[in-house]
Amino acid sequence: MILFLDLKKVNSIYETAFQEKLNAFLGKGYYILGDEVKLFEENFAAYCDSKNCIGVGNGYDALTLIFKGYIQLGKMQKGDEVIVPANTYIASILSIIQADLVPVLVEPKLETYTINPDLIQDKITSKTKAILAVHLYGQLAELDKINAIALQNNLIVVEDAAQSHGAFLGKNRKSTNTQAFSFYPGKNLGALGDGGAIITNDEELAKVLFSLRNYGSEVKYLNNYIGINSRLDELQAAFLNVKLPNLDVDNEHRRTIAKRYLSGIKNDKITLPFWDFSDNHVFHLFVIRTENRKELQDYLKENGIETMIHYPVPPHKQKAFSPETSGWNDLSFPITEKIHNEVLSLPISPIMTVDEVDFVVEILNTY
Ligand SMILES: Cc1ncc(COP(=O)(O)O)c(C=O)c1O
């Protein structure tokens, strides 16, 4: 059986190093915001070529805290609108709501699955304050165009980089925007539990965020802001310090698999993902489309290949957004709905072998 993602195997090469970290952790007896969190914040900021990394509890909190931080600085206010792709994972949208802001959904491009920049301008109102660019499946959204629209309209761009650790534009990893990362175990850089981080070059925002994640406090028992408790766990930070040096190699392996899928799969019933072969894609997921998804998924399963669907129901069709809440269920986003009806994620991971990839290709080509 080719598993969709064999996390036990992904992490097994790090076991000795994890044990050493655990032993050191037990020896220290210091459990919250210790040396490992500090070290990871330094390491990940350096990796992202950024001045600040704020370690937090998970990717959702990273996003929520960024919005709360901007509100604290007076750059956004309760009720302001944030533009977000309609086909994103629901966490992006929920984070906006959690910060008392209003999500405004925009269709993605069918080819790239990222927000269609040409549709943003029409959705901008006097209440719009930000665009949340989501780098879905590991591919960067069209940041050049999005940043230009933001500049013209005096908007803030926030990047949801939960699925895109290590993806970058041109030669430069540095982003002018604040970015949110998730270290959920299945992510390209995954912890052994929940974890997240914010990357920012905005010193003023960073200062507020370091407090906001810790009850709004910089000095123990003195609270400057109404913060929350969302600190990156010390042990998860230790594990992430072990794994971070391998991230680029892992991403390169993912790209190698993607190239093999892209050149090998030849079947009219399958639409392959678009990629311009630059480093703007780290293939967190390799997502194909097909009209008879259930049939294809069953066929692959019969042949020992596990697949997943990211995601079966679009956010606006979720029960959570029923008439009693937002009333989004009646909205129509045809591209988003088509994507959610047709997408299927093939196995891809840092430990997948070339033979396994070739087997998946062979089975797909005989479908
Ligand atoms: C695009 C996107 N944004 C945000 C999140 C939230 O991250 P977490 O699960 O760490 O809260 C995820 C997690 O799956 C995600 O895929």
Side-chain angles (χ1 to χ4, degrees), residues 58-60 63 88-89 91-92 134 136 160 162-163 182-184 187 194-195 311:
N58 52 65
Y60 167 79
L63 287 165
T88 185
Y89 179 55
S92 324
V134 184
L136 203 69
D160 182 340
Q163 302 189 2
S182 161
F183 305 122
Y184 182 83
K187 295 293 195 275
D194 277 311
Y311 302 92

mmCIF file of all heavy atoms in Angstrom, residues 58-60 63 88-89 91-92 134 136 160 162-163 182-184 187 194-195 311, ligand 1:
data_model
loop_
_atom_site.group_PDB
_atom_site.id
_atom_site.type_symbol
_atom_site.label_atom_id
_atom_site.label_comp_id
_atom_site.label_asym_id
_atom_site.label_seq_id
_atom_site.Cartn_x
_atom_site.Cartn_y
_atom_site.Cartn_z
ATOM 1 N N ASN A 58 -0.137 27.535 16.910
ATOM 2 C CA ASN A 58 -0.555 26.851 15.679
ATOM 3 C C ASN A 58 -0.710 27.887 14.565
ATOM 4 O O ASN A 58 -0.603 29.103 14.827
ATOM 5 C CB ASN A 58 -1.878 26.086 15.900
ATOM 6 C CG ASN A 58 -2.940 26.981 16.509
ATOM 7 O OD1 ASN A 58 -3.380 27.943 15.894
ATOM 8 N ND2 ASN A 58 -3.320 26.703 17.745
ATOM 9 N N GLY A 59 -1.011 27.428 13.353
ATOM 10 C CA GLY A 59 -1.124 28.331 12.208
ATOM 11 C C GLY A 59 -2.331 29.251 12.292
ATOM 12 O O GLY A 59 -2.283 30.413 11.872
ATOM 13 N N TYR A 60 -3.406 28.711 12.840
ATOM 14 C CA TYR A 60 -4.623 29.515 12.987
ATOM 15 C C TYR A 60 -4.381 30.702 13.928
ATOM 16 O O TYR A 60 -4.761 31.840 13.635
ATOM 17 C CB TYR A 60 -5.741 28.608 13.519
ATOM 18 C CG TYR A 60 -6.972 29.317 14.007
ATOM 19 C CD1 TYR A 60 -7.916 29.800 13.119
ATOM 20 C CD2 TYR A 60 -7.196 29.493 15.374
ATOM 21 C CE1 TYR A 60 -9.052 30.449 13.570
ATOM 22 C CE2 TYR A 60 -8.324 30.132 15.836
ATOM 23 C CZ TYR A 60 -9.248 30.614 14.927
ATOM 24 O OH TYR A 60 -10.369 31.247 15.377
ATOM 25 N N LEU A 63 -2.304 33.464 12.277
ATOM 26 C CA LEU A 63 -3.115 34.382 11.456
ATOM 27 C C LEU A 63 -3.935 35.322 12.332
ATOM 28 O O LEU A 63 -3.954 36.545 12.123
ATOM 29 C CB LEU A 63 -4.057 33.576 10.550
ATOM 30 C CG LEU A 63 -3.410 32.851 9.373
ATOM 31 C CD1 LEU A 63 -4.353 31.805 8.789
ATOM 32 C CD2 LEU A 63 -3.007 33.856 8.294
ATOM 33 N N THR A 88 -9.894 28.506 0.060
ATOM 34 C CA THR A 88 -8.831 28.205 1.031
ATOM 35 C C THR A 88 -9.301 27.191 2.062
ATOM 36 O O THR A 88 -10.502 26.905 2.186
ATOM 37 C CB THR A 88 -8.364 29.492 1.745
ATOM 38 O OG1 THR A 88 -7.251 29.174 2.584
ATOM 39 C CG2 THR A 88 -9.472 30.099 2.588
ATOM 40 N N TYR A 89 -8.342 26.657 2.837
ATOM 41 C CA TYR A 89 -8.718 25.860 3.996
ATOM 42 C C TYR A 89 -9.423 26.805 4.974
ATOM 43 O O TYR A 89 -9.019 27.956 5.143
ATOM 44 C CB TYR A 89 -7.473 25.221 4.640
ATOM 45 C CG TYR A 89 -7.834 24.422 5.858
ATOM 46 C CD1 TYR A 89 -8.782 23.406 5.777
ATOM 47 C CD2 TYR A 89 -7.280 24.693 7.098
ATOM 48 C CE1 TYR A 89 -9.154 22.679 6.891
ATOM 49 C CE2 TYR A 89 -7.642 23.968 8.223
ATOM 50 C CZ TYR A 89 -8.585 22.968 8.109
ATOM 51 O OH TYR A 89 -8.963 22.261 9.225
ATOM 52 N N ALA A 91 -9.474 27.491 7.962
ATOM 53 C CA ALA A 91 -8.741 28.193 9.034
ATOM 54 C C ALA A 91 -8.426 29.641 8.651
ATOM 55 O O ALA A 91 -8.483 30.540 9.497
ATOM 56 C CB ALA A 91 -7.444 27.458 9.368
ATOM 57 N N SER A 92 -8.105 29.878 7.374
ATOM 58 C CA SER A 92 -7.779 31.244 6.937
ATOM 59 C C SER A 92 -8.976 32.164 7.212
ATOM 60 O O SER A 92 -8.809 33.283 7.714
ATOM 61 C CB SER A 92 -7.472 31.306 5.435
ATOM 62 O OG SER A 92 -6.800 30.183 4.964
ATOM 63 N N VAL A 134 -3.267 33.393 0.202
ATOM 64 C CA VAL A 134 -3.031 32.022 0.686
ATOM 65 C C VAL A 134 -2.223 31.257 -0.357
ATOM 66 O O VAL A 134 -2.626 31.164 -1.517
ATOM 67 C CB VAL A 134 -4.374 31.291 0.953
ATOM 68 C CG1 VAL A 134 -4.107 29.907 1.539
ATOM 69 C CG2 VAL A 134 -5.266 32.109 1.881
ATOM 70 N N LEU A 136 -1.832 28.250 -1.390
ATOM 71 C CA LEU A 136 -2.471 26.943 -1.229
ATOM 72 C C LEU A 136 -1.700 25.826 -1.926
ATOM 73 O O LEU A 136 -1.216 25.994 -3.044
ATOM 74 C CB LEU A 136 -3.910 27.012 -1.761
ATOM 75 C CG LEU A 136 -4.845 25.949 -1.191
ATOM 76 C CD1 LEU A 136 -5.133 26.184 0.286
ATOM 77 C CD2 LEU A 136 -6.154 25.896 -1.960
ATOM 78 N N ASP A 160 -0.791 33.767 4.134
ATOM 79 C CA ASP A 160 -1.040 32.501 4.809
ATOM 80 C C ASP A 160 -0.087 31.484 4.186
ATOM 81 O O ASP A 160 -0.347 30.944 3.108
ATOM 82 C CB ASP A 160 -2.501 32.081 4.639
ATOM 83 C CG ASP A 160 -2.820 30.778 5.377
ATOM 84 O OD1 ASP A 160 -1.870 30.031 5.675
ATOM 85 O OD2 ASP A 160 -4.007 30.512 5.625
ATOM 86 N N ALA A 162 0.901 28.671 5.592
ATOM 87 C CA ALA A 162 0.786 27.417 6.351
ATOM 88 C C ALA A 162 1.217 26.205 5.531
ATOM 89 O O ALA A 162 1.665 25.205 6.088
ATOM 90 C CB ALA A 162 -0.658 27.226 6.821
ATOM 91 N N GLN A 163 1.067 26.316 4.199
ATOM 92 C CA GLN A 163 1.387 25.157 3.348
ATOM 93 C C GLN A 163 2.623 25.412 2.472
ATOM 94 O O GLN A 163 2.872 24.635 1.552
ATOM 95 C CB GLN A 163 0.174 24.845 2.447
ATOM 96 C CG GLN A 163 -1.103 24.566 3.225
ATOM 97 C CD GLN A 163 -2.237 24.047 2.354
ATOM 98 O OE1 GLN A 163 -2.088 23.846 1.158
ATOM 99 N NE2 GLN A 163 -3.387 23.821 2.962
ATOM 100 N N SER A 182 2.175 27.285 9.738
ATOM 101 C CA SER A 182 1.690 26.201 10.597
ATOM 102 C C SER A 182 2.740 25.095 10.604
ATOM 103 O O SER A 182 3.340 24.805 9.571
ATOM 104 C CB SER A 182 0.382 25.643 10.027
ATOM 105 O OG SER A 182 0.120 24.355 10.563
ATOM 106 N N PHE A 183 2.948 24.488 11.762
ATOM 107 C CA PHE A 183 3.840 23.322 11.830
ATOM 108 C C PHE A 183 3.052 22.074 12.211
ATOM 109 O O PHE A 183 3.580 21.151 12.834
ATOM 110 C CB PHE A 183 4.986 23.585 12.831
ATOM 111 C CG PHE A 183 5.764 24.833 12.522
ATOM 112 C CD1 PHE A 183 5.870 25.852 13.461
ATOM 113 C CD2 PHE A 183 6.351 25.008 11.283
ATOM 114 C CE1 PHE A 183 6.563 27.025 13.169
ATOM 115 C CE2 PHE A 183 7.043 26.186 10.979
ATOM 116 C CZ PHE A 183 7.149 27.185 11.922
ATOM 117 N N TYR A 184 1.788 22.056 11.857
ATOM 118 C CA TYR A 184 0.939 20.862 11.994
ATOM 119 C C TYR A 184 1.740 19.683 11.417
ATOM 120 O O TYR A 184 2.442 19.854 10.410
ATOM 121 C CB TYR A 184 -0.349 21.133 11.215
ATOM 122 C CG TYR A 184 -1.387 20.044 11.271
ATOM 123 C CD1 TYR A 184 -2.261 19.961 12.352
ATOM 124 C CD2 TYR A 184 -1.512 19.117 10.239
ATOM 125 C CE1 TYR A 184 -3.222 18.972 12.401
ATOM 126 C CE2 TYR A 184 -2.471 18.125 10.280
ATOM 127 C CZ TYR A 184 -3.322 18.055 11.370
ATOM 128 O OH TYR A 184 -4.277 17.070 11.408
ATOM 129 N N LYS A 187 2.658 19.109 7.659
ATOM 130 C CA LYS A 187 3.141 20.224 6.834
ATOM 131 C C LYS A 187 4.583 19.974 6.364
ATOM 132 O O LYS A 187 5.267 19.102 6.884
ATOM 133 C CB LYS A 187 3.086 21.527 7.657
ATOM 134 C CG LYS A 187 1.654 21.937 8.024
ATOM 135 C CD LYS A 187 0.861 22.334 6.793
ATOM 136 C CE LYS A 187 -0.413 23.085 7.099
ATOM 137 N NZ LYS A 187 -1.574 22.273 7.406
ATOM 138 N N ASP A 194 1.003 20.337 17.631
ATOM 139 C CA ASP A 194 0.687 21.638 17.033
ATOM 140 C C ASP A 194 1.840 22.625 17.184
ATOM 141 O O ASP A 194 2.626 22.550 18.130
ATOM 142 C CB ASP A 194 -0.559 22.225 17.713
ATOM 143 C CG ASP A 194 -1.844 21.674 17.115
ATOM 144 O OD1 ASP A 194 -1.960 21.674 15.871
ATOM 145 O OD2 ASP A 194 -2.724 21.242 17.887
ATOM 146 N N GLY A 195 1.909 23.555 16.266
ATOM 147 C CA GLY A 195 2.912 24.627 16.348
ATOM 148 C C GLY A 195 2.654 25.626 15.238
ATOM 149 O O GLY A 195 2.001 25.312 14.239
ATOM 150 N N TYR A 311 -10.196 20.274 -0.603
ATOM 151 C CA TYR A 311 -11.033 19.886 0.514
ATOM 152 C C TYR A 311 -12.396 19.536 -0.058
ATOM 153 O O TYR A 311 -12.805 20.148 -1.058
ATOM 154 C CB TYR A 311 -11.118 21.041 1.520
ATOM 155 C CG TYR A 311 -9.699 21.411 1.992
ATOM 156 C CD1 TYR A 311 -8.988 22.400 1.332
ATOM 157 C CD2 TYR A 311 -9.087 20.733 3.033
ATOM 158 C CE1 TYR A 311 -7.669 22.712 1.735
ATOM 159 C CE2 TYR A 311 -7.784 21.055 3.442
ATOM 160 C CZ TYR A 311 -7.087 22.024 2.784
ATOM 161 O OH TYR A 311 -5.802 22.322 3.150
HETATM 162 C C1 LIG B 1 -3.970 27.262 4.435
HETATM 163 C C2 LIG B 1 -3.982 27.005 5.919
HETATM 164 N N1 LIG B 1 -4.106 28.046 6.756
HETATM 165 C C3 LIG B 1 -4.106 27.883 8.078
HETATM 166 C C4 LIG B 1 -3.986 26.637 8.654
HETATM 167 C C5 LIG B 1 -4.051 26.497 10.134
HETATM 168 O O1 LIG B 1 -2.942 25.867 10.700
HETATM 169 P P1 LIG B 1 -3.064 25.029 12.052
HETATM 170 O O2 LIG B 1 -3.734 23.739 11.741
HETATM 171 O O3 LIG B 1 -1.652 24.864 12.502
HETATM 172 O O4 LIG B 1 -3.850 25.853 12.993
HETATM 173 C C6 LIG B 1 -3.847 25.525 7.819
HETATM 174 C C7 LIG B 1 -3.719 24.191 8.415
HETATM 175 O O5 LIG B 1 -4.011 23.171 7.879
HETATM 176 C C8 LIG B 1 -3.848 25.705 6.413
HETATM 177 O O6 LIG B 1 -3.725 24.678 5.584
#
